[in-house]
Structures are given as C-alpha cells and as structure tokens.
Amino acid sequence: MEIAEQVGMARRPVGVWRKRFAEVRLAAIEKDAPRPGRPCPERDSLTRRILEATTQTKPKQATHWSTRSLAAELGVSDARVARVWRAHGLQPHRVKTFKVSNDPDFAEKVHDVVGLYLNPPEHAIVLSVDEKTQVQALDRTQRGLPIHPASADLQPGRCGTMTHDYKRHGTTTLFAALNVAEGVVIDKCMKRHRHQEWIAFLKEIDARTPAGLDLHLIADLRPQENRRDAQAPQYAKLAEASPAIPHALHPHQQAAG
C-alpha cells in the first residue's frame, strides 16, 4: 500500500512486481513475464512484411507510410504496425540528414579530435571554438521570459514568448569557446568578423583560462572560398601573425563533413 501510494499506481500491479522482485531479483523485472495463450503463428511473417513495406515501399501520393495507411494496405491492425515500428526503432515520419565526407584526411582528424575529447593531455584544456556571424541584435518591446510574480525564477510549465515588434540594432558576430569537460563557455561579441577579431578572441581565451595550461582548440579550419566566417579564408594571415597568437594555443582541425 505504501509503494502504490508513493508511485501513484494500483495495489495489484505493485504487488505483482514486488513479489517477482523478491523471488528472482532484478532479472524478474527487467522485462515482462511470458503471457499466457498461444502465440500468433503468423507473427514472424507479419513482422517481416511490415518491415519490408515500411523500408522498401512508398504509398501512393504520400512520402511515407503511417500506421493506419500501412495497416490498411497489409490487412492488419494499426496497433500491430505501431508495435513492430517501436520494437525496431522505425520512425518513417522523421527525417535524419547525413553527409559523407570527401576529406582525404578525415580519419586522422577524427582520431585527433575524438582522442582529445576522450583522453585530454595532462595540464591542458580542450576547447571547441566556433563563431556565428550576422547575429541580429533585436530589442523587443516586451520581456520574453515568463517570470513568476512571487520570485525571480522562471515559472514552470511556461514557454518563452516573443513579440512581433522590435527595434533592430544591427548585427554582431559571436565568438565562443566551449569547455566540453566542464560545460563552461567563453564568449565575446564583436562588430566585424575579420582575422583581427579572431586573433583578439584567441587572446581573450588565453586571458580567461588558468595560466600554465596548454589550450587545445578544436576549430573548423577548412579553407573554402564560399565560407564567409573569420576562420577559413584568413588562416594564411593567422600564420603570418603567429607572434600575436598566444604560444600555448594548439589548433586542431575539425574533420570536414
């Protein structure tokens, strides 16, 4: 009765699971016990048909199957289709994008970057560094965060709001360095995004981190002509300006793609 009241469930299921745990311990509650009754003889074939239809066919005048449309096509219940999808992790209504890298040094860069994250050197800090250009500096007419009237905390169960009218103060460029191990961010906003600002941000990182530690920076250094950020096209200038860069910084190129 105490457990049922605490977890908000009925006494009967709580008693069943408590008894099973007392008899067999964790192995008895890791999954449901076998249910009585004869299993459906066509279960395996139906599962195979549902999986093949979901992954290899497409409905007419639609981009993907739904549980109801596929159930009507195969002559089964939509609940069965939903169970098969859930058991095999299928979500046809969702889209996941990917990109295959054409960088010939992709494996070496991944080994370098992932190795830094998993096993950072002693007396060093690993930072993931990037920038965001053309950030709009907007001053909206009303506060966007719902504040509880009795305190300064965010009110639970409420989302942030956004007014349609605002005053525009131009754009800014955000430079940020994330300390992945501690979740600390070093950031700075600047009006422009040239290599001079990038060097200035490197100096900012050096000034805001403990002295005596090496700084390993993971950044995207691909020299692509169509990039407009401060990193890629100007890294040749960064090499020329190496005396202005703090000596403790060790850049690591992020793998393309």
Side-chain angles (χ1 to χ4, degrees), residues 5 105 110 117 140 158 162 166 172 219 234 239 247:
E5 183 179 356
D105 301 323
V110 170
Y117 281 137
R140 299 190 180 272
R158 291 281 303 277
M162 184 182 298
Y166 57 84
T172 185
Q234 293 88 349
H247 69 280

Side-chain angles (χ1 to χ4, degrees), residues 3-138:
I3 296 176
E5 183 179 356
Q6 183 176 352
V7 300
M9 294 180 59
R11 291 176 54 189
R12 186 174 183 278
V14 172
V16 171
W17 285 86
R18 183 175 180 273
K19 180 180 178 181
R20 291 176 56 188
F21 176 77
E23 294 176 350
V24 195
R25 311 307 290 178
L26 284 177
I29 62 174
E30 289 179 343
K31 60 182 180 180
D32 287 338
R35 299 182 181 274
R38 185 170 60 90
C40 177
E42 300 179 356
R43 175 179 300 177
D44 293 340
S45 61
L46 286 177
T47 300
R48 185 168 55 254
R49 289 174 56 197
I50 292 173
L51 294 177
E52 291 178 354
T54 304
T55 58
Q56 301 180 20
T57 65
K58 186 181 298 184
K60 297 180 180 179
Q61 299 179 351
T63 58
H64 59 269
W65 293 103
S66 67
T67 55
R68 290 178 174 82
S69 62
L70 184 57
E73 178 73 17
L74 300 179
V76 299
S77 66
D78 58 328
R80 179 180 294 275
V81 175
R83 286 196 299 269
V84 173
W85 284 4
R86 186 164 52 250
H88 292 80
L90 295 177
Q91 297 176 322
H93 61 287
R94 302 186 64 181
V95 177
K96 181 184 293 185
T97 60
F98 69 95
K99 180 180 179 180
V100 179
S101 176
N102 56 3
D103 191 342
D105 301 323
F106 178 77
E108 290 78 3
K109 293 175 182 177
V110 170
H111 186 273
D112 180 27
V113 172
V114 176
L116 274 175
Y117 281 137
L118 296 180
N119 187 23
E122 294 184 1
H123 310 294
I125 300 177
V126 179
L127 301 175
S128 179
V129 186
D130 207 347
E131 63 173 332
K132 176 65 176 177
T133 62
Q134 301 295 319
V135 180
Q136 296 191 64
L138 304 180

